[in-house]
Amino acid sequence: MRRIRVIPVLLVSDGKMVKTEKFKAPKYVGDPINAIRIFNEKGVDELAVCDISKNRKAQGPDMKLMEKLASEAFMPMAYAGGISTRQQGIDLIKSGFEKLALSTGLIQSPNLVAELSEQLGSQSVVAAVDYRQSMFGGARQYVNSGTTKVKGDLFDLISKWVNQGAGEVWLNSMEREASYEGYDIKTIKRASETIRVPIVCMGGAGSITHMKEAIDAGASAVAAGAMFIYQRPHNAVLISYLKEPLDA
Amino acid sequence: MGWSEVKLMQNASQMTTEEIMRFYFVHSYHIVPEQQADVFMTSEFGNGFTAAIKRGNITGVQFHPEKSHAFGVAFLKYWLSAS
């Protein structure tokens, strides 16, 4: 039996913890340091911190906050949000993060994945691929917090990021975010047939069954935001985690 | 990259956890000790490998105790008490 990594996604914006739906309408849900303490207690496998602040790209990662978050965490952490230089990546790793996820950086800094994976090892470099289905069929990758469409076929792009040195791919279905409808099984399947590095799926988790479906389709790990932050049916803020490990 | 359960190959009774011990590994590098007696912990992941070594007061681990929750804390406590 293999223990599947189950990864809560913590969104921060200007130092606050927020939650979006389909990449829109960020709602304040609490203090990120407090959230990390709760996730420590729950013994989560791994945590993804995504800083979606509007000016993040211009200002670079909020190192003061990230140092605080990393020093609180007793679990491995990944960071996403405005990484555009090698030095920023190195600073984040030094502050205690294990993985750096790039999205806009994939496009705007074409050598960054290669540089970071050469210096830090590909296990620390993640291609964070936000995508949605286009009206004309086929999925398209988006960057800049889901506002800019990237030219080209989604799966060709994913292969490209892996060939450049990404050791993991986050497959984030924008239209499923916080929908509780289940992961995008079709895309996970196709991506897992295309690339050999681990795939972490995001967007749509509502139950353990959804997670198992994604693993069966070829995902190596599963991530979820709303499912671990909200309590349904009224989306009251209540941080939770799986009670039992997810095995496959 | 991920969590793996480990087996203790040397006596370390002070290191106790409620569940089976598991630790976080960030890569697939591992050492192959020349002397089997130095093996402290093993993982059965893949073909199995040495997760920690120990001889006298020298201990080396392949995983990240600081990122391994209560298991990491238990290891670090053991390590401090044993030195």
Side-chain angles (χ1 to χ4, degrees), chain A:
Chain A
M1 274 219 293
R2 188 162 59 103
R3 188 191 173 93
I4 303 297
R5 282 182 288 145
V6 179
I7 307 169
V9 181
L10 205 156
L11 301 181
V12 293
S13 179
D14 298 319
K16 299 181 181 86
M17 183 179 166
V18 297
K19 183 70 192 105
T20 49
E21 193 181 334
K22 298 180 169 56
F23 274 53
K24 292 197 176 92
K27 256 189 216 151
Y28 173 73
V29 291
D31 169 42
I33 291 177
N34 188 39
I36 284 180
R37 287 184 186 142
I38 297 171
F39 284 128
N40 275 338
E41 277 168 31
K42 304 212 177 274
V44 308
D45 298 328
E46 204 173 304
L47 200 62
V49 176
C50 307
D51 191 332
I52 60 166
S53 309
K54 276 215 173 69
N55 50 11
R56 191 50 57 221
K57 265 185 291 298
Q59 296 182 347
D62 181 349
M63 287 308 303
K64 257 198 178 139
L65 175 66
M66 290 311 139
E67 276 165 19
K68 264 193 225 158
L69 297 189
S71 67
E72 283 292 333
F74 271 97
M75 76 291 264
M77 301 233 292
Y79 173 85
I83 302 172
S84 60
T85 68
R86 173 154 65 173
Q87 194 55 47
Q88 288 169 348
I90 291 163
D91 290 346
L92 284 158
I93 295 286
K94 279 192 184 150
S95 78
F97 283 82
E98 274 66 39
K99 293 183 193 181
L100 308 170
L102 304 181
S103 168
T104 310
L106 296 168
I107 308 298
Q108 286 185 351
S109 319
N111 300 320
L112 195 52
V113 170
E115 285 175 9
L116 288 172
S117 70
E118 197 185 306
Q119 181 144 9
L120 306 165
S122 62
Q123 82 285 337
S124 283
V125 184
V126 178
V129 176
D130 301 332
Y131 71 95
R132 69 168 156 233
Q133 304 300 326
S134 88
M135 285 193 299
F136 311 103
R140 289 281 179 269
Q141 185 177 349
Y142 284 75
V143 296
N144 280 323
S145 305
T147 57
T148 311
K149 183 154 61 173
V150 183
K151 270 189 196 149
D153 174 73
L154 177 69
F155 302 99
D156 291 347
L157 287 167
I158 290 172
S159 299
K160 186 172 156 187
W161 314 138
V162 172
N163 290 335
Q164 286 178 356
E168 181 170 285
V169 171
W170 291 356
L171 211 50
N172 189 13
S173 166
M174 294 169 60
E175 59 249 281
R176 284 169 190 262
E177 195 208 349
S179 71
Y180 305 105
E181 284 170 358
Y183 293 103
D184 178 3
I185 298 302
K186 237 172 91 180
T187 306
I188 294 167
K189 213 171 208 158
R190 175 94 193 270
S192 74
E193 287 160 2
T194 311
I195 53 167
R196 304 181 77 174
V197 303
I199 292 169
V200 183
C201 58
M202 303 182 174
S207 68
I208 292 175
T209 310
H210 291 153
M211 295 179 165
K212 288 183 175 157
E213 285 166 2
I215 299 305
D216 288 344
S220 297
V222 292
M227 179 174 160
F228 295 141
I229 287 163
Y230 290 139
Q231 190 183 36
R232 279 185 288 168
H234 301 299
N235 282 355
V237 178
L238 179 71
I239 290 180
S240 66
Y241 192 57
L242 299 191
K243 297 216 164 49
E244 296 287 326
L246 189 62
D247 291 317

Side-chain angles (χ1 to χ4, degrees), chain A residues 3 5 39-40 42-46 70 73-77 96-99 123-124, chain B residues 1-5 19 22 24 26-27 29 45 64-70 73 76:
Chain A
R3 188 191 173 93
R5 282 182 288 145
F39 284 128
N40 275 338
K42 304 212 177 274
V44 308
D45 298 328
E46 204 173 304
F74 271 97
M75 76 291 264
M77 301 233 292
F97 283 82
E98 274 66 39
K99 293 183 193 181
Q123 82 285 337
S124 283
Chain B
M1 191 135 168
W3 291 85
S4 178
E5 290 180 357
E19 294 171 61
R22 62 175 198 274
Y24 190 77
V26 298
H27 52 62
Y29 294 106
F45 187 80
H64 282 245
E66 83 285 9
K67 293 284 174 175
S68 299
H69 292 304
V73 174
L76 291 170

